[in-house]
Amino acid sequence: MSSEGLVYPYLGIMLVAIAPLSLGIVLYYAEPGFPWHTYITLFVGYYASFAILLLVPIDIAAVVVDRRSNVIGSDSNYDSNKKHLSTAYDAFFTIILILGSFVLVFEEYYNTDGYFTLGGRLASSFKRMCIDMAGGVVAGLIVLGILLGQNIVGSSADALKLAAVIVTNTVYEAFLMFLIAYALIEYPRSLWAKSNLDKFLLMVQTKAAAEFKDISDFQLSVSLAVSDVLKTKSQLASYADPKLTAAMDVLIAECPPEFRSDRMGKVAANKAGQVTVDTLAALRTRLNTLKDQYKMAQAKIEVTKLLAYRLEDIVAAKNANNGQGSQVIRWTLVDQDSTRNEYLWEIRAKPILFKISAVCCAVLSLFSFLGVVCSMQGVSNNVSVYFLAVHDKVATPGGITIFILVTLGYVTYITSWSLFQMRLAGLMELVPNRTTPESLSFNVRMIARLAAPLAFFFLGWISENGIKSGSWQYNNAPNLVTYQNVTTVVNGTSTTQLESMTTSQSIFMPSAFSNFYQLQSVYIIQSTFGTLFPILLFCLLFLFVTNFFNRILVLLKMDTYQFGAQIVTDEQLREGKRQLQRHRKNTERHYKRGLLRSIIANISGAKAGETSFLSRLLGGGTSKTTKKGPGGAVDVLAEPSMREPPPLSGLLERKAGYTIGVGAAYREVYAEVLPPGFLHFYKDKITAIKAVAASRDPSQSPDPTATVVDLRSVMDFKTSSKVSGKDSFVLEMDLVNGTEHLRFKMDTELERWKRMLCEWKDFHTDYGALYVTNMSANPAGSMQPRASITAIGMSSNSGVGRESEMVRGSVTSSAGANSKGFLGLGGGAKKEVDAAQRDQDDMRNMQLDNDLEDDTEDEEKGGKTSSSTFSFSGGFKKAAAPVVKAAAPPAKLETRKPKPLEGWLEKKGHGKMHLGGDWQRRYLRVDELSSSLIYSKSSDRQEKPQGVIDLKLVGEVAAYTGSKGQQDSTRFEVDVGDKVFKFKAASEADGRRWIDGLNEWRDYFLLNM
C-alpha cells in the first residue's frame, strides 16, 4: 500500500474548503463599519491557522502508510510528501508568525489609536507595538544566539525559524496546557449540566449575574473617561490653539451622550500641566478602548438574556405540564405557543442528546488523557488509544485521516471553547454582527498562535511530534544478511566457521510536521518537553477539578479574573436574576413592537378597535398582566405596582472603623433606612429622630457624626453565623472602599435585615431617581421626596443618547467639612463617587422611562391606603401603608400628543441602482390623520408630496453612527424594514429634535390605534 495519490487531492479539497469557512466567520461576526484592511488580515489569519491543523491528518495518514512499504534506500513517495507538506507547514507558520506577532497587533493598536492624523496614528501604533514586542524579540535573539553558537542548525535562516518555533511553542504551549486542562474536564461536564434544564437555567443566570456586574464596571470606566474629556474641554477655554480645539471637538463627538458628568474628571495634561495633542490622543485611545469593551459587554449580555428568557419559558412549561395537559411552551417574548414537536424537542429530546454528547465527549477526554500520559518519556505507547488506532496494521489511509480529523477536531474545538471562558473583557467575546475589530483580531491571534503548539501537543499523543522515536517510525524494508568466515582459536586449535550478519535497511520516516518543527534537535527540549508540559497539565487539572483556581482568585480579591464557571455570591446571583426580570418586559415590548410592525405591513384595512387586531396587537389572547382600566379600557401593559419596602430601623452593633478596621470594636448604634434607599447610622434613636426631622435630603444627614450609605453602592451582602464566638450573626456589606460589619443578637434579626436591605437596594436602583429633594416646597427643611414628570406617556424606546423627559433625582453633597458622604467618605470623595453613580443612574433611568409605562396600576375602589403614592402630577406623597400605587392611566395607553413636527431637512436620494445619491432639500411634516411622515419639495401642503413614510412601521430612529463609532446627531436614519431613509438637519439641536419627535410620534401612533 502506498500514499501515492492521497496527499494532493486532500490538499486540493481542504485548502479550498477552508477559504469560504474563514471568510464566513469574519463576515458573520464583524460589526458594521469594519475597516476593510482588517477583513483581509483576519481572513488570512483564520485560513493559515485552519490550514496548519488540517495538514496534520493527511501528514500522519501518508507517513503511516509509507512505512508499510519494503523499499530500500529511499522512498520517492515519502520524500515527495515530506517535502511538500513541510513546505506547506513552513509557509503557513510564517504567515501566522508575521500576522500574529506584527500585523494584527499593529492593526489592533491602529484601530483604537487616538491620534487625529494618519501619520500620527501610524507612528503611535508602531511605537506601542514595538514596546509590547520588545520582550519577545529579546527572548528570540537570545535563543537564536544559542542555536548559532552551539551549531545546532546548519544555517542562519534555519536557526531563525527554529528560534521562532522555540519561543512561540514554549510560551503558547504553557498557555495551551491551561486551556486543555480545563476543557477536557469541564466541557463534557457542562454538556451534562445542560441536560438538566433547571441546572442549565441556573448556569445561565449565574453567567448573567457576572455579565451584569461587568456592564456596571464598564459604565463606570466609560463615565470616568468621558468625565476626563469634559474636564479637559473646560480647561481648553484658556487655550487659543485651533488644533487643540479641533481635536477636542472630535473627542466630544465620540463621547457616548448618556455620560455627561465632569465632576470626577481629571484634565488630560502632561507632566508640565499642559494639554497637548499627545495628551488628547492618549485620552482618545483610552476612550476608544473602553467604548469597544463596553459595546462587547452589552452585546454579550443581550445574548445571555435571550437564552435565559428562553430557558425560563422551557422550565416553566416543563414544571407546568409535568407530563400532563397541553404539551406546548409559551414563548413569552413573542407571546406565542410552540408546536408540540418543539415541546418534545426542547424538554425531552434535547436533554437526552446533551447526555449522549456528554458521554461521547467524556470518552474522548479520557482517551486524550491517556494520550497525554503516553507522550511522557519512559511511558509505553500502548497506553494511548490514539496511538494504537493510528498505527494499527489494518488501518486504511482514509480511516486514519478521518480518525485524526475527529480527535484533533475535538481537541481544537474544546480548546477554542475554553479560550472563551476567559474573562478578558472586550477581547474574548464574539457576538454575531456586533464584534469589534479588536475582539475579532485578538481571537484570530490566539487561534493562530495556538495552532502549531496544539498540533505539536496532539502529535505527542500518537508519538509523532519527534520528541519520542522508535521502531514505529521505520518502514518494513527487509534486513540485509551477509556471511563471512570467522576463525576462532581454542586451546591452540583454530576453527573457521561461516557466520551470518544482519544489517537493518529500514528507512527512518518521521512525520513532515516533526521535520518542520524540529524541536527534537535541541537536546534540552527533547529531554524535558515530553514530561514538563504533561505534568503542568495534570497540576492545572487538579486546580480546575477542585475549583481551587477560582477560589484562590476570590481569596486574593481578583475574582474578575476567574476562569470558566465563576464563583458568585448569593447577592450577585440574586442581583443577576433581578436584572434579568427587570429587563425582560422591555425585551418583550421590543419583540411585540416588531410583531406589530409586521402585522401592520401585512394586514390592510384593519381598523382600530377590532377585536382580532387588538388581540394580535396585545400579543394574542388574555395574559395574566391584562387589566381593566376605568370605563372598561384594557391596560395591556399593566404590571404589578411598584412597592416601597416596609420601614427598616432599629438598634444593632456596628464595627468602628469603616474600612479594614483591624482590631476595631463593635458599638451599638441606631440604624434606619430612608427612602429611596439610604442607610443612616446614628448614635441613638433620639439623635436619629432629630436628624431625620431636620433633613431635606435623604442622602445627607445634618448630624456630623452620622454615616450614610447609599445601598445602590453595596456590591455584596455576606452573613456569618458562627456557633461560638463574639462575631456570631454578622452581616458584611461590601462597598467600593471597604466593608461595613453589622452584628445582631439573633439569627432571625440578621436574616431580616439582610432581606430588607436587599429589597431597599432594589427599590433604590429601580425608582430612586424619582425622589427629588423638594427644597422650595418645604422651607422648613424636612425631607419630602417627590417626583415630577412632565408628561404621562413617555417614549417607550428612549434609545441611547435620548434625554429622559423625567426630572431625575440627583444626590448632591451639601454637608459641611466634618460630614461624611453617603459612602462614609469625605466630601470630595463623596462627590466623585456620587458623580459616577449618577451617570450610571442616568442610564438606568433611560431604561426606567420605558418601565414607567408598565408600572402604572389602576386605582381600585376599596383599596388599601398606601404609604407613598406615586402620582404623575403630584409625585410621592406620604400616607399610611407601605405600598406605592400609580394613579389610574386614561383609557388609552398614551394620551399626551407630541408637539407638532415639521420643517426643512436634507434627504439623501437612493440614486441609480441604489448605489447612492445626492442630498436633496425637502420639507417634512408629521401628519396625524395618516400616522405618517410626509416629505415634499415645498412647504405648501397643497403640493403633491414626494413620499410618505408610515411611522407605525418605523423601528428606532437614532443618530447616525460612523465607521469609527463617532455619533453625528445632525444625521439620522428612518428604518422601515425593507428600506432606510436618511436625513440630515442643519444643526445637532435640530437633529435631536427630529429624532426625539419621530420616536414620540411613532409610539403615539402605535399605542393609540
Side-chain angles (χ1 to χ4, degrees), residues 174-187:
F175 182 44
L176 185 64
M177 296 305 99
F178 187 85
L179 298 175
I180 291 182
Y182 179 82
L184 289 176
I185 290 293
E186 290 301 324
Y187 185 71

mmCIF file with all atom_site columns, all heavy atoms in Angstrom, residues 174-187:
data_model
loop_
_atom_site.group_PDB
_atom_site.id
_atom_site.type_symbol
_atom_site.label_atom_id
_atom_site.label_alt_id
_atom_site.label_comp_id
_atom_site.label_asym_id
_atom_site.label_entity_id
_atom_site.label_seq_id
_atom_site.pdbx_PDB_ins_code
_atom_site.Cartn_x
_atom_site.Cartn_y
_atom_site.Cartn_z
_atom_site.occupancy
_atom_site.B_iso_or_equiv
_atom_site.pdbx_formal_charge
_atom_site.auth_seq_id
_atom_site.auth_comp_id
_atom_site.auth_asym_id
_atom_site.auth_atom_id
_atom_site.pdbx_PDB_model_num
ATOM 1   N N   . ALA A 1 174 ? 2.562   26.423 27.170 1.00 0.00 ? 174 ALA A N   1
ATOM 2   C CA  . ALA A 1 174 ? 2.168   26.568 28.573 1.00 0.00 ? 174 ALA A CA  1
ATOM 3   C C   . ALA A 1 174 ? 0.737   27.095 28.673 1.00 0.00 ? 174 ALA A C   1
ATOM 4   O O   . ALA A 1 174 ? -0.063  26.621 29.496 1.00 0.00 ? 174 ALA A O   1
ATOM 5   C CB  . ALA A 1 174 ? 3.140   27.507 29.286 1.00 0.00 ? 174 ALA A CB  1
ATOM 6   N N   . PHE A 1 175 ? 0.412   28.063 27.844 1.00 0.00 ? 175 PHE A N   1
ATOM 7   C CA  . PHE A 1 175 ? -0.948  28.587 27.822 1.00 0.00 ? 175 PHE A CA  1
ATOM 8   C C   . PHE A 1 175 ? -1.932  27.514 27.371 1.00 0.00 ? 175 PHE A C   1
ATOM 9   O O   . PHE A 1 175 ? -3.055  27.407 27.883 1.00 0.00 ? 175 PHE A O   1
ATOM 10  C CB  . PHE A 1 175 ? -0.994  29.795 26.889 1.00 0.00 ? 175 PHE A CB  1
ATOM 11  C CG  . PHE A 1 175 ? -2.342  30.470 26.812 1.00 0.00 ? 175 PHE A CG  1
ATOM 12  C CD1 . PHE A 1 175 ? -3.084  30.714 27.957 1.00 0.00 ? 175 PHE A CD1 1
ATOM 13  C CD2 . PHE A 1 175 ? -2.860  30.856 25.587 1.00 0.00 ? 175 PHE A CD2 1
ATOM 14  C CE1 . PHE A 1 175 ? -4.325  31.342 27.892 1.00 0.00 ? 175 PHE A CE1 1
ATOM 15  C CE2 . PHE A 1 175 ? -4.091  31.485 25.507 1.00 0.00 ? 175 PHE A CE2 1
ATOM 16  C CZ  . PHE A 1 175 ? -4.817  31.729 26.663 1.00 0.00 ? 175 PHE A CZ  1
ATOM 17  N N   . LEU A 1 176 ? -1.497  26.687 26.418 1.00 0.00 ? 176 LEU A N   1
ATOM 18  C CA  . LEU A 1 176 ? -2.347  25.611 25.917 1.00 0.00 ? 176 LEU A CA  1
ATOM 19  C C   . LEU A 1 176 ? -2.665  24.599 27.014 1.00 0.00 ? 176 LEU A C   1
ATOM 20  O O   . LEU A 1 176 ? -3.783  24.067 27.077 1.00 0.00 ? 176 LEU A O   1
ATOM 21  C CB  . LEU A 1 176 ? -1.654  24.924 24.739 1.00 0.00 ? 176 LEU A CB  1
ATOM 22  C CG  . LEU A 1 176 ? -2.448  23.853 24.007 1.00 0.00 ? 176 LEU A CG  1
ATOM 23  C CD1 . LEU A 1 176 ? -3.676  24.458 23.348 1.00 0.00 ? 176 LEU A CD1 1
ATOM 24  C CD2 . LEU A 1 176 ? -1.566  23.165 22.964 1.00 0.00 ? 176 LEU A CD2 1
ATOM 25  N N   . MET A 1 177 ? -1.697  24.324 27.877 1.00 0.00 ? 177 MET A N   1
ATOM 26  C CA  . MET A 1 177 ? -1.956  23.398 28.977 1.00 0.00 ? 177 MET A CA  1
ATOM 27  C C   . MET A 1 177 ? -3.069  23.932 29.876 1.00 0.00 ? 177 MET A C   1
ATOM 28  O O   . MET A 1 177 ? -3.904  23.176 30.376 1.00 0.00 ? 177 MET A O   1
ATOM 29  C CB  . MET A 1 177 ? -0.686  23.199 29.804 1.00 0.00 ? 177 MET A CB  1
ATOM 30  C CG  . MET A 1 177 ? 0.473   22.549 29.071 1.00 0.00 ? 177 MET A CG  1
ATOM 31  S SD  . MET A 1 177 ? 0.073   20.968 28.317 1.00 0.00 ? 177 MET A SD  1
ATOM 32  C CE  . MET A 1 177 ? -0.203  21.441 26.616 1.00 0.00 ? 177 MET A CE  1
ATOM 33  N N   . PHE A 1 178 ? -3.064  25.226 30.066 1.00 0.00 ? 178 PHE A N   1
ATOM 34  C CA  . PHE A 1 178 ? -4.086  25.877 30.881 1.00 0.00 ? 178 PHE A CA  1
ATOM 35  C C   . PHE A 1 178 ? -5.463  25.668 30.265 1.00 0.00 ? 178 PHE A C   1
ATOM 36  O O   . PHE A 1 178 ? -6.435  25.348 30.964 1.00 0.00 ? 178 PHE A O   1
ATOM 37  C CB  . PHE A 1 178 ? -3.750  27.366 30.982 1.00 0.00 ? 178 PHE A CB  1
ATOM 38  C CG  . PHE A 1 178 ? -4.621  28.141 31.917 1.00 0.00 ? 178 PHE A CG  1
ATOM 39  C CD1 . PHE A 1 178 ? -4.345  28.192 33.267 1.00 0.00 ? 178 PHE A CD1 1
ATOM 40  C CD2 . PHE A 1 178 ? -5.719  28.836 31.442 1.00 0.00 ? 178 PHE A CD2 1
ATOM 41  C CE1 . PHE A 1 178 ? -5.147  28.916 34.133 1.00 0.00 ? 178 PHE A CE1 1
ATOM 42  C CE2 . PHE A 1 178 ? -6.524  29.565 32.291 1.00 0.00 ? 178 PHE A CE2 1
ATOM 43  C CZ  . PHE A 1 178 ? -6.232  29.598 33.651 1.00 0.00 ? 178 PHE A CZ  1
ATOM 44  N N   . LEU A 1 179 ? -5.560  25.826 28.952 1.00 0.00 ? 179 LEU A N   1
ATOM 45  C CA  . LEU A 1 179 ? -6.844  25.711 28.276 1.00 0.00 ? 179 LEU A CA  1
ATOM 46  C C   . LEU A 1 179 ? -7.317  24.261 28.189 1.00 0.00 ? 179 LEU A C   1
ATOM 47  O O   . LEU A 1 179 ? -8.489  23.960 28.458 1.00 0.00 ? 179 LEU A O   1
ATOM 48  C CB  . LEU A 1 179 ? -6.743  26.308 26.868 1.00 0.00 ? 179 LEU A CB  1
ATOM 49  C CG  . LEU A 1 179 ? -6.400  27.799 26.770 1.00 0.00 ? 179 LEU A CG  1
ATOM 50  C CD1 . LEU A 1 179 ? -6.218  28.207 25.317 1.00 0.00 ? 179 LEU A CD1 1
ATOM 51  C CD2 . LEU A 1 179 ? -7.477  28.644 27.423 1.00 0.00 ? 179 LEU A CD2 1
ATOM 52  N N   . ILE A 1 180 ? -6.412  23.364 27.814 1.00 0.00 ? 180 ILE A N   1
ATOM 53  C CA  . ILE A 1 180 ? -6.811  21.966 27.628 1.00 0.00 ? 180 ILE A CA  1
ATOM 54  C C   . ILE A 1 180 ? -7.163  21.316 28.961 1.00 0.00 ? 180 ILE A C   1
ATOM 55  O O   . ILE A 1 180 ? -8.110  20.523 29.047 1.00 0.00 ? 180 ILE A O   1
ATOM 56  C CB  . ILE A 1 180 ? -5.692  21.174 26.901 1.00 0.00 ? 180 ILE A CB  1
ATOM 57  C CG1 . ILE A 1 180 ? -5.583  21.662 25.456 1.00 0.00 ? 180 ILE A CG1 1
ATOM 58  C CG2 . ILE A 1 180 ? -5.965  19.687 26.923 1.00 0.00 ? 180 ILE A CG2 1
ATOM 59  C CD1 . ILE A 1 180 ? -4.557  20.921 24.633 1.00 0.00 ? 180 ILE A CD1 1
ATOM 60  N N   . ALA A 1 181 ? -6.402  21.633 30.012 1.00 0.00 ? 181 ALA A N   1
ATOM 61  C CA  . ALA A 1 181 ? -6.682  21.040 31.316 1.00 0.00 ? 181 ALA A CA  1
ATOM 62  C C   . ALA A 1 181 ? -8.105  21.379 31.754 1.00 0.00 ? 181 ALA A C   1
ATOM 63  O O   . ALA A 1 181 ? -8.802  20.530 32.334 1.00 0.00 ? 181 ALA A O   1
ATOM 64  C CB  . ALA A 1 181 ? -5.670  21.536 32.353 1.00 0.00 ? 181 ALA A CB  1
ATOM 65  N N   . TYR A 1 182 ? -8.532  22.584 31.487 1.00 0.00 ? 182 TYR A N   1
ATOM 66  C CA  . TYR A 1 182 ? -9.892  22.989 31.849 1.00 0.00 ? 182 TYR A CA  1
ATOM 67  C C   . TYR A 1 182 ? -10.917 22.353 30.917 1.00 0.00 ? 182 TYR A C   1
ATOM 68  O O   . TYR A 1 182 ? -11.940 21.827 31.367 1.00 0.00 ? 182 TYR A O   1
ATOM 69  C CB  . TYR A 1 182 ? -10.015 24.510 31.799 1.00 0.00 ? 182 TYR A CB  1
ATOM 70  C CG  . TYR A 1 182 ? -11.398 25.009 32.126 1.00 0.00 ? 182 TYR A CG  1
ATOM 71  C CD1 . TYR A 1 182 ? -11.820 25.142 33.444 1.00 0.00 ? 182 TYR A CD1 1
ATOM 72  C CD2 . TYR A 1 182 ? -12.297 25.332 31.110 1.00 0.00 ? 182 TYR A CD2 1
ATOM 73  C CE1 . TYR A 1 182 ? -13.090 25.594 33.751 1.00 0.00 ? 182 TYR A CE1 1
ATOM 74  C CE2 . TYR A 1 182 ? -13.569 25.789 31.404 1.00 0.00 ? 182 TYR A CE2 1
ATOM 75  C CZ  . TYR A 1 182 ? -13.962 25.919 32.730 1.00 0.00 ? 182 TYR A CZ  1
ATOM 76  O OH  . TYR A 1 182 ? -15.220 26.352 33.016 1.00 0.00 ? 182 TYR A OH  1
ATOM 77  N N   . ALA A 1 183 ? -10.630 22.369 29.611 1.00 0.00 ? 183 ALA A N   1
ATOM 78  C CA  . ALA A 1 183 ? -11.631 21.946 28.634 1.00 0.00 ? 183 ALA A CA  1
ATOM 79  C C   . ALA A 1 183 ? -11.908 20.449 28.692 1.00 0.00 ? 183 ALA A C   1
ATOM 80  O O   . ALA A 1 183 ? -13.059 20.024 28.548 1.00 0.00 ? 183 ALA A O   1
ATOM 81  C CB  . ALA A 1 183 ? -11.171 22.329 27.229 1.00 0.00 ? 183 ALA A CB  1
ATOM 82  N N   . LEU A 1 184 ? -10.883 19.622 28.879 1.00 0.00 ? 184 LEU A N   1
ATOM 83  C CA  . LEU A 1 184 ? -11.093 18.179 28.860 1.00 0.00 ? 184 LEU A CA  1
ATOM 84  C C   . LEU A 1 184 ? -12.033 17.713 29.965 1.00 0.00 ? 184 LEU A C   1
ATOM 85  O O   . LEU A 1 184 ? -12.743 16.714 29.816 1.00 0.00 ? 184 LEU A O   1
ATOM 86  C CB  . LEU A 1 184 ? -9.745  17.452 28.992 1.00 0.00 ? 184 LEU A CB  1
ATOM 87  C CG  . LEU A 1 184 ? -8.822  17.537 27.771 1.00 0.00 ? 184 LEU A CG  1
ATOM 88  C CD1 . LEU A 1 184 ? -7.490  16.855 28.062 1.00 0.00 ? 184 LEU A CD1 1
ATOM 89  C CD2 . LEU A 1 184 ? -9.474  16.921 26.540 1.00 0.00 ? 184 LEU A CD2 1
ATOM 90  N N   . ILE A 1 185 ? -12.073 18.445 31.061 1.00 0.00 ? 185 ILE A N   1
ATOM 91  C CA  . ILE A 1 185 ? -12.960 18.095 32.166 1.00 0.00 ? 185 ILE A CA  1
ATOM 92  C C   . ILE A 1 185 ? -14.283 18.840 32.081 1.00 0.00 ? 185 ILE A C   1
ATOM 93  O O   . ILE A 1 185 ? -15.374 18.273 32.168 1.00 0.00 ? 185 ILE A O   1
ATOM 94  C CB  . ILE A 1 185 ? -12.279 18.373 33.519 1.00 0.00 ? 185 ILE A CB  1
ATOM 95  C CG1 . ILE A 1 185 ? -11.147 17.371 33.755 1.00 0.00 ? 185 ILE A CG1 1
ATOM 96  C CG2 . ILE A 1 185 ? -13.284 18.314 34.658 1.00 0.00 ? 185 ILE A CG2 1
ATOM 97  C CD1 . ILE A 1 185 ? -11.629 15.955 33.953 1.00 0.00 ? 185 ILE A CD1 1
ATOM 98  N N   . GLU A 1 186 ? -14.203 20.146 31.907 1.00 0.00 ? 186 GLU A N   1
ATOM 99  C CA  . GLU A 1 186 ? -15.382 20.981 32.048 1.00 0.00 ? 186 GLU A CA  1
ATOM 100 C C   . GLU A 1 186 ? -16.320 20.925 30.851 1.00 0.00 ? 186 GLU A C   1
ATOM 101 O O   . GLU A 1 186 ? -17.527 21.114 31.010 1.00 0.00 ? 186 GLU A O   1
ATOM 102 C CB  . GLU A 1 186 ? -14.977 22.431 32.308 1.00 0.00 ? 186 GLU A CB  1
ATOM 103 C CG  . GLU A 1 186 ? -14.380 22.655 33.673 1.00 0.00 ? 186 GLU A CG  1
ATOM 104 C CD  . GLU A 1 186 ? -15.325 22.267 34.790 1.00 0.00 ? 186 GLU A CD  1
ATOM 105 O OE1 . GLU A 1 186 ? -16.551 22.478 34.632 1.00 0.00 ? 186 GLU A OE1 1
ATOM 106 O OE2 . GLU A 1 186 ? -14.856 21.742 35.800 1.00 0.00 ? 186 GLU A OE2 1
ATOM 107 N N   . TYR A 1 187 ? -15.805 20.675 29.654 1.00 0.00 ? 187 TYR A N   1
ATOM 108 C CA  . TYR A 1 187 ? -16.716 20.663 28.512 1.00 0.00 ? 187 TYR A CA  1
ATOM 109 C C   . TYR A 1 187 ? -17.718 19.511 28.589 1.00 0.00 ? 187 TYR A C   1
ATOM 110 O O   . TYR A 1 187 ? -18.933 19.741 28.461 1.00 0.00 ? 187 TYR A O   1
ATOM 111 C CB  . TYR A 1 187 ? -15.940 20.617 27.198 1.00 0.00 ? 187 TYR A CB  1
ATOM 112 C CG  . TYR A 1 187 ? -16.851 20.730 25.997 1.00 0.00 ? 187 TYR A CG  1
ATOM 113 C CD1 . TYR A 1 187 ? -17.479 21.930 25.699 1.00 0.00 ? 187 TYR A CD1 1
ATOM 114 C CD2 . TYR A 1 187 ? -17.104 19.631 25.189 1.00 0.00 ? 187 TYR A CD2 1
ATOM 115 C CE1 . TYR A 1 187 ? -18.342 22.034 24.614 1.00 0.00 ? 187 TYR A CE1 1
ATOM 116 C CE2 . TYR A 1 187 ? -17.960 19.723 24.111 1.00 0.00 ? 187 TYR A CE2 1
ATOM 117 C CZ  . TYR A 1 187 ? -18.582 20.929 23.820 1.00 0.00 ? 187 TYR A CZ  1
ATOM 118 O OH  . TYR A 1 187 ? -19.440 21.031 22.757 1.00 0.00 ? 187 TYR A OH  1
#
